[in-house]
Amino acid sequence: MAKENLNPFESAQAKIKKACETLGYSDDVYQILSQPQQVIEVNIPVQMDDGTTKVFKGYRSQHNNAIGPYKGGIRFHQNVNIDEVKALSIWMTFKCGVMNVPFGGGKGGVIVDPKTLSDNELEQLCRGYVDKLYRNLGEYYDIPAPDVGTNTKVMSWMQDEYCKINQGNANFGVFTGKDPKWGGSLGRGAATGYGIYLIAKFAAEKIGIEMKGAKVSVQGFGNAGKFTVKNMCKGGAKVVAISEWTREKGTYAIYNENGFDFDELEAYMEKNGNLINFPGSKELNEEEFFTLDVDIFAPCALENAITEEVAHKLQCKLVAEAANGPTTPAGEKVLMDRGIVITPDILTNAGGVTVSYFEWVQNLAGRYWTEEEVVQRQDAATEVAFNDIWDLAQEHKCSMRDAAYLVSIKRIYEAMKFRGWVK
Ligand code: GLU
């Protein structure tokens, strides 16, 4: 078997090319959209607790701001690299386009395993990232948010640093995903996982999977995975397997044919920092996890989880792409040939940025909404986006991913045309 191309930047470019060709756009449009407008690389010194100084490499990729300010998370992970950050920034542009959220796409990253840092070291790293990049951030310019390895605490340190640098001004709209106690929006923490559940539910209805009692397996139990499990359980589905990664053990999975209880999982995770030996569960190896007979599989971890090899193994009817870029192009082809429906990442996990947008609106207005208001708006936006894409995919007889790119690229093209960037 030929070696698979696992470069997410190149696969993102291939999707753009295909959509531009289908839409009949000139090559100029592809040329503009196939590269970030700018990519900034920074080196951030941190005084470690042992007295040494360590320099961490960070990036911010600003892909496109035709529709509005750059928007997207900051990832702290040991495998962050420039092509990954660029790809993630491209996906953000199209994710915002799919949801009709008035932002462009950006993404940041730092090469670090945050679990290896003390609180003091982590805080310095967060503040250092802002010290290096503040000129390129702003509530009308580039608005970061959490991603893999970052959370509300990271956002609060970064937001605080930005305010300090900006003469103490309370520009609370520069970072989203903050804690609701300080400028955050209710419902933001749960928003990505809730959106994943909604999209999976809408797709399940279309393809005849009854959500009540549907068997679900979930890869990852970070923010997206956790709230996906929570909402799947609440919606009556049976989450029978969860896979996770720890530094010590690597990848492992837990299984319970009767389905897990979310509150018990959360409490166990809180106490132990992992789900190893979760009461009543059986441990599965990777092969057993991927070949499980389930209705829905939600990859909620990192890109390239569903390679060609994994795609042959999966026994689900629906893949809800909760992570960014979880399916390789070769993996996607196999899934499609096997008739497995995929809800694409730029739609499935767009709940996070959708509620980030609500947070930004509340920050700029200085008026805060109830959780109910937030959820209602997320429900409405998600349903519209799903139906647009589902209908277009039926009309064009194409995948939902291709339809999502068509919807999104058209919106961005129209904004660029209006602004005189393309003919
Ligand atoms: N990091 C999240 C994503 O990949 C959220 C981005 C945001 O809220 O700006 O969609």
Side-chain angles (χ1 to χ4, degrees), residues 33 64 66-67 93-94 97 408-416:
L33 293 177
N64 188 286
I67 289 188
T93 303
F94 300 127
S408 187
I409 290 188
K410 189 159 179 272
R411 286 189 177 136
I412 294 144
Y413 165 76
E414 276 162 5
M416 294 202 298

Side-chain angles (χ1 to χ4, degrees), residues 342-408:
I342 306 170
T343 62
D345 52 358
I346 56 174
L347 169 68
T348 313
N349 70 28
V353 75
T354 302
V355 178
S356 273
Y357 164 53
F358 300 158
E359 180 174 338
W360 178 79
V361 168
Q362 293 170 78
N363 290 149
L364 297 191
R367 264 191 74 172
Y368 289 83
W369 307 343
T370 62
E371 186 156 0
E372 258 171 16
E373 272 178 282
V374 172
V375 171
Q376 265 171 21
R377 286 173 204 261
Q378 182 177 357
D379 284 343
T382 310
E383 191 163 2
V384 168
F386 177 85
N387 286 332
D388 281 356
I389 287 163
W390 180 269
D391 293 348
L392 193 73
Q394 300 299 309
E395 193 189 312
H396 281 244
K397 297 197 176 10
C398 66
S399 67
M400 286 187 79
R401 189 187 322 279
D402 287 347
Y405 274 83
L406 292 180
V407 167
S408 187

Side-chain angles (χ1 to χ4, degrees), residues 71-73 92 95 107 143 145-147 176 188 324 349 352-353 356:
K71 181 85 192 82
M92 282 312 301
K95 198 183 293 187
K107 197 77 166 206
I143 306 149
D147 194 75
T176 61
R188 174 62 184 86
N324 290 308
N349 70 28
V353 75
S356 273

Side-chain angles (χ1 to χ4, degrees), residues 5 139 207 289 298:
N5 183 358
E139 66 266 67
I207 63 174
F289 174 75

